[in-house]
Amino acid sequence: MIELTINNKKVVVKEGTTILEAALQNGIDIPYLCYDKRLTPYGACRVCLVEVEGQKKLLASCSTPVTNGMVVKTETPRLNKARRAVLELLLVHHPLDCPICDKAGECKLQDLAFKYGPAEGRFTGEKRHELTDTESPLIERNPNRCILCGRCVRVCGELQGVGAINIIGRGFKSKISPAFEETLDCEFCGQCIDACPVGALGGKPYKYRARVWLLEEHESICPYCGVGCTVTYDVREERLIRARGVEGKGINDGNLCSKGRFGFDYIYAEGRLKTPLIKEDNSFKSVSWEDALGYVAKNLRVIKERYGTDSIAAIGSPRCTVEDNYMLQKFMRNVIGSNNIDSISRFGYVKAQIAIEMAFGVSSLPIGFDSPLNKEVILVIESDITSTHPVWGLNFLKAKRNGSRLIVADTRETKLTRHSTNWLRIRPGTGTALLNGIMHIAIEEGLYDKENAPKIPNFDSLRDVVKGYNPSSVSMITGIREDELVEISRQFLTADSRLVALTMVVGENTKGMNTVLSASNLIILIGEEPSSLQLPAEYCNTYGLFRAGVMPEPDGKDILSTLYNHGTTKALYIMGENPVVTFPDATTVEKALKGLDLLIVQDIMLTETARLADVVLPASSSLEKDGTFINAFGIEQKIKKIVPTVGDSLPDWQIIRNLARVMGTDIGARNLQALREELEEIRDKEGHLTLRFNPVRHSVTEETDGDYPLNLITGNLMQHSGALSVMSKGLSHAVADAFLQISPNDAKRYSIRDNSFVRVTSRRGSVFVKARVSDEVPDGSIFVPIHFPHARINNLTTISINGDPPITTVRIETARGE
Amino acid sequence: MKLRLEDLNRIREDYKRQNTLRRDGYRVRITVHTGTCGLAAGAKRILDAIHDEIDKSGARDILLRVSGCAGLCIREPMVTVEVIDKPPVRYADLTEDGIREIFNEHILNGRIVERSALVIGYENFLDKHPSQTLTEEKTSVPLMDAFPFYNLQILRALKNKGIIDPESIEDYIGHDGYQAAAKALLQMTPEEIIAEVKKSGLRGRGGAGFPTGMKWEFCSKVKSDIKYILCNGDEGDPGAFMDRSVMESDPHVVLEGMIIGARAIGASKGYIYVRAEYPLAVKRLQMAINQAREYGLLGEDILGSGFNLDIEIYQGAGAFVCGEETALMRSIEGKRGMPIPRPPFPVEKGLWAKPTVLNNVETYANIPHIILYGGDWFRSLGTEKSTGTKVFALTGALNNVGLIEVPMGIPLRTIIYDIGGGIKNKRRFKAVQLGGPSGGCIPEHLLDTPVTYEDIVQTGAIVGSGGMVVMDDTNCMVSVARFFLEFTTDESCGKCPPCRIGTKVMLDKLTDITEGRGKEGDIELLEDIARDIIDTALCGLGQTAPNPVLTTIRYFRDEYESHIREGWCKAGVCKELATFYIDEELCKGCGLCLKACPTGAVTGEKRKPHRINTDLCIKCRSCFMACPVRFSAVKIGPGRMVVRQT
């Protein structure tokens, strides 16, 4: 610890702390413009200068480390003069267009000029007349207001790992710009907007929408991925107009991705449901809640009587709150009397849960936001964490920056592979083979937990299985070089601390339950803590969904038998899900839904699935209701009602409670408080850690052949994940449509150019999609982001029953003349 | 071939044998000086002409060589002719015809062409004075030790510059090259090397004057898997060409200095950062690196010592700020060349966050001598705190413009009046600018200041890297200050506001003053903002950028005031503030001004006073410069002066 004096106050801080940090930690304010605690000190703005006794020069407090006995002064006449001079200079060429600047009122330059600045400038100079970059979607750059603190550049390059902008030009002509002064085209995380202390960067959706002092500030939880970022939502006159990340708030501590920042406007999507709808003669008619619930109750009763309780099923939603899902399963179990309740996670996280339970005896392993940090080696298996869990992904980049070896096995080039130490470009779906190969080397070379592993059940059969995965066969399967495999394996196996991370996301098809089993085998074999396997849940409330009981246990039917093995289900209650767009093998799903006697869809919009429904119930979005989300790290977070509900819509749990009442059963939940008290009683299923090997062999659902020569890889984009993001206008500005990535060689082979329309055909159907020629995919594989309703990629995809990665093989042709 | 010490000595002896004229059957050695200065003046044509003459004459006993700059750049192209048993004769201002004459007269027939000869004898180098070799022949050509430009200099860093062929490693080895490296690697511990360098008192020649030995010691104490040794060849001051000359004329000395430094701090990788505008330096350094690698003087197990070092050239894009050490390192990293705050200092976290030592070219050029002859020998020249010699690029309004190396402590006056030969065209001295854009202008009354780090700082200037620009009374000091500010404004990296905007507003103010828009209070405003910039700027560039303004205000405040109050630029440089007229009483009617005037504004008959028609005058100063100083009839009045036309 270091002891020093700041403004006559003795403070004690950790070694390596800078003067600025030491001051801030002790409630002493030092002004700054270019400092950002997430970034390495830059020392450019010169307003954080301080006087240190014994030093002739003024020192930049943001970059000067403290030393024992240091005596620091942060406010002296000399410093005031220096700061006044810097601010005076910054204002010489500044446009001073505060009256029309969206930043006015929360602008650091304004605030500091108010505190230190001269009342009048002594210099008059030409104003800068750079063009404002208004062409770019979502982010507008006004270089004339820029003070060149470089925070945007550094947030983009250093923290976000993108580097879309930098300073160009020298001296007075320096400015921030994308390469070659082109229009900004990046991943649109918008981190630069929050980082900008002045009005040089702004979110376009917010432009000219409000003076900041008219805004009400609310905090809630982002409705997208499992990270569960805390978002600060700014509301003006009951309308949500801006989302921000604020330092010090939530697990994300100020970071947000494009979905969190720009994706909130899905609540203003066209076609929000305002009233319940009942289908009559193939068209929907607005009805009152009484009529709608009466209709549902009557029909459910009829079906129950005619076909029995087992003919009714429900689908919950990891995007609805714990409360909503709890009420849905309670309705099914207590009112209908059926355990036929399941969710989309069947295609995603449930696979992981089953595998983890098989391997470790517990249904979930602790996932840590900071788990990637301070690991010697991190191995990521076929997962683009920077897309599926963007803000958590930042910690993987940070770990790499801090010196961890980041090994990423992935077919596609992703942000993670670009930042990796080693990129193993394996063939899609061959993660299991790779993991088995590593275990082969571990056993061959004795680099495993020799003391404990042999005592764990199935060790012998694991040894037998991985025996077949010698480097040459793994090289054959995965396509990576033998020596590369051996080298990487040794680096991993001999490291002091190791982490294996992967995701199990509905839209991704390169991993199956077996991949998780194989990863679990590896963790157990090398004697690492179970927490060294990091497999986060996908959605904002995937954990909450399970805690609420949305699982077909003990004897209910899961989605696979409800929708893909159709026959006995007559009525289906879907809450907050759009299976037609998000479930694999959409043709089968659609057929199943059409064959139902009664389809109830409860959602915020008239989705593709809702169009098939007999009755549609309007629900409130997560920003229009109170509730609880449990994130991938198991943290329970309250979401708050920030804007009024739309039309007659109600929170899902209320709709279900009301329906139960109409059906003559009171399932409690007079109000949210009562419901939460009830939920308090629920405990997660407890298991205890019992390790077990589950040897698996590499295999995928479909192998390429002459008819279907290409592997189709599906996945998320940074800007899109599932049915919600595509409703957002903001995110659609960034990426509006599906596209197909194809390697330059394959493109040549099929005479495909950028923007050609391509017909992609699998054994289950075909779709048309625009091509993008890109070396992000290797020859023989194409990538298509899933979830865009007008290019239904899920017509092509398949489910996997045996735990194999549900790889789909396809053929493609240009859609000329069609 | 990987050299061992024996091989090194053998090459040296072989070289000495071959290049001693007698033993090898040569009678004459001709050295053509082909530095950038020489080449620019036409040295290539001279070289071709000599080849041609040799072919024509069929002589087989002539050794023709090239080497670097011969110092007196203004007199290039130059050639040194050595006839067996005679002291060398240096010819200057050569033309093709001139060299052919020299070839036929001197080389073939032993008759010195006195018209073209500049000096006879050897230059002073190291601390020896071998120039006393006199010639029996009576000649009007001055002897080296009676020639002030040469005899007040002592060459250490530049000792090989006009002597060796920079493209030949054997030449370098033949002149005791790599002996110091061998000594450092084979006989000395890193601690001993550092101790010797510390003892020498050598201070960084790049400008800041930080003690080199201390820097090495700091870095040697930092533990790291890899360390870097860098050479700063990004010489960027206007008017400076010291480092370029060293790199062009003696590239191996830089490598040798770096090898010794690398050994001292434990570095295994080196980079020489040279601006791409120095193509000849880059070419010769690259040749030197290739040769050194081939001889195993770079690479693994150098001279069998077990020590490894490789050196690469990194070409900079000519940004002045990249001479700042942290910016230079960012540039090598492939990033935008912008300084970062210190601490951490580069000796702890430099290039790629590894311990790094960066020294200037001239600093490295001194190292081998310190190792070979000792720290005490080094400090035998210079003063207590500023030891050794310093190289200066002497330019401006002097008779002798060129590259010089003088013992530290020598008064400025001696440099300007003796070595520099005084002011050109018999004009009056006004100021000498030291330290480039970071330095300042020193006026006449301070000319007895000794050239040491401590004394020069007292004047408000700095020793800097060695640019020395002498100005006469035709210079306007406000314009000079403006010139340097314009340079720093252009070259500011733009990172911190004081430098990015501060230099710009100062430049705007100076422009106002030079264009007649100056106001009362502007001088004080300039002084005030200058102090703020010095206080707040991030790096040395910004912190020193106001120096030229502050020193000119300090010593030439009256010029600022006459610009502002009287609208009068007395040097006639600021067009808006000058009116040219001819004092009819002084004018002898020689007609030189009339000939010089491009617009026909000057009229007059021979031997009668001339006149300037102010309506036609474009204030180009041609008449003023043309009028002989002994007449000084062309006068400059304030800008708004009404010249009565009679």
Side-chain angles (χ1 to χ4, degrees), chain A residues 348-571:
Chain A
Y349 193 65
V350 168
K351 297 182 194 171
Q353 268 184 324
I354 295 169
I356 284 166
E357 202 158 349
M358 287 165 72
F360 299 96
V362 291
S363 61
S364 63
L365 297 173
I367 309 295
F369 187 71
D370 289 333
S371 60
L373 302 179
N374 304 318
K375 293 286 188 298
E376 191 181 326
V377 179
I378 299 168
L379 175 64
V380 179
I381 302 293
E382 298 195 75
S383 300
D384 182 12
I385 296 168
T386 48
S387 280
T388 55
H389 299 79
V391 173
W392 192 47
L394 297 181
N395 262 347
F396 285 80
L397 306 186
K398 185 174 172 186
K400 161 74 193 313
R401 271 203 310 282
N402 293 350
S404 300
R405 175 175 286 276
L406 179 60
I407 303 168
V408 182
D410 208 330
T411 312
R412 286 173 60 212
E413 182 187 326
T414 64
K415 188 158 99 178
L416 212 55
T417 65
R418 281 195 285 273
H419 286 271
S420 64
T421 328
N422 303 86
W423 173 22
L424 304 175
R425 194 168 207 175
I426 59 173
R427 295 202 180 95
T430 61
T432 311
L434 175 71
L435 290 160
N436 283 353
I438 296 173
M439 285 187 271
H440 174 95
I441 290 164
I443 292 174
E444 280 296 302
E445 306 192 358
L447 300 170
Y448 66 104
D449 184 0
K450 277 174 280 190
E451 192 183 324
N452 298 311
K455 297 180 204 150
I456 292 166
N458 281 345
F459 176 74
D460 292 339
S461 69
L462 176 77
R463 200 176 45 198
D464 292 346
V465 167
V466 301
K467 192 163 244 160
Y469 289 85
N470 56 40
S472 82
S473 70
V474 173
S475 171
M476 288 277 288
I477 298 169
T478 61
I480 59 170
R481 293 198 322 272
E482 275 180 53
D483 58 333
E484 204 178 356
L485 170 72
V486 173
E487 194 195 321
I488 297 291
S489 302
R490 285 185 189 145
Q491 278 161 356
F492 177 81
L493 294 166
T494 56
D496 286 336
S497 53
R498 296 160 285 208
L499 190 83
V500 177
L502 70 160
T503 56
M504 189 57 76
V505 168
V506 177
E508 294 178 335
N509 67 344
T510 52
K511 288 153 291 183
M513 187 181 75
N514 291 347
T515 320
V516 185
L517 286 175
S518 194
S520 306
N521 292 339
L522 176 63
I523 290 291
I524 297 168
L525 181 69
I526 60 177
E528 275 284 1
E529 289 293 312
S531 63
S532 296
L533 178 64
Q534 291 282 304
L535 212 166
E538 177 177 9
Y539 293 107
C540 56
N541 194 34
T542 303
Y543 268 171
L545 176 89
F546 299 129
R547 180 174 302 171
V550 177
M551 277 179 288
E553 288 176 353
D555 56 357
K557 285 192 287 190
D558 62 17
I559 284 181
L560 299 177
S561 47
T562 327
L563 291 178
Y564 297 88
N565 202 1
H566 187 52
T568 56
T569 305
K570 296 293 174 193

Side-chain angles (χ1 to χ4, degrees), chain B residues 127-197:
Chain B
D127 51 352
K128 301 172 203 125
H129 291 259
S131 62
Q132 282 78 359
T133 333
L134 291 177
T135 165
E136 318 82 68
E137 293 163 63
K138 288 265 180 271
T139 166
S140 65
V141 181
L143 298 179
M144 203 55 104
D145 49 1
F147 195 87
F149 180 81
Y150 285 113
N151 76 358
L152 290 166
Q153 294 192 49
I154 294 182
L155 305 185
R156 284 179 169 182
L158 300 179
K159 85 169 172 78
N160 288 335
K161 74 173 159 61
I163 299 173
I164 65 163
D165 178 354
E167 302 191 355
S168 156
I169 191 171
E170 288 79 12
D171 252 31
Y172 182 69
I173 294 173
H175 287 84
D176 297 340
Y178 290 110
Q179 292 293 332
K183 184 176 174 190
L185 295 184
L186 302 171
Q187 297 171 27
M188 294 171 84
T189 63
E191 293 74 29
E192 284 166 354
I193 298 172
I194 290 169
E196 208 58 56
V197 175

Side-chain angles (χ1 to χ4, degrees), chain A residues 708 710-714 739-742 752 756-771 782-784 791-793 795-797 808-815 818:
Chain A
Y708 300 98
L710 295 168
N711 284 311
L712 171 73
I713 308 171
T714 63
F739 55 86
L740 171 149
Q741 272 185 339
I742 184 163
I752 289 168
S756 307
F757 255 101
V758 177
R759 177 198 180 99
V760 189
T761 309
S762 79
R763 288 183 172 82
R764 284 156 298 280
S766 67
V767 296
F768 292 96
V769 64
K770 260 189 186 175
I782 57 172
F783 169 77
V784 185
R792 295 248 285 272
I793 304 305
N795 278 344
L796 310 174
T797 53
T808 303
T809 56
V810 294
R811 64 166 179 265
I812 59 173
E813 59 227 313
T814 46
E818 285 189 66

Side-chain angles (χ1 to χ4, degrees), chain A residues 42 46 78 81 122 169 171, chain B residues 336 492 495 528 532 535-536:
Chain A
Y42 189 58
R46 317 311 288 171
R78 183 177 172 204
K81 181 169 186 311
R122 293 169 295 172
Chain B
R336 187 180 157 85
S492 164
K495 183 169 174 177
D528 188 58
D532 286 333
D535 239 12
T536 56

Side-chain angles (χ1 to χ4, degrees), chain A residues 689-708:
Chain A
L689 206 63
T690 37
L691 304 182
R692 183 185 183 84
F693 288 118
N694 300 277
V696 285
R697 291 174 208 280
H698 161 74
S699 125
V700 289
T701 314
E702 289 180 0
E703 296 273 6
T704 52
D705 54 27
D707 290 339
Y708 300 98

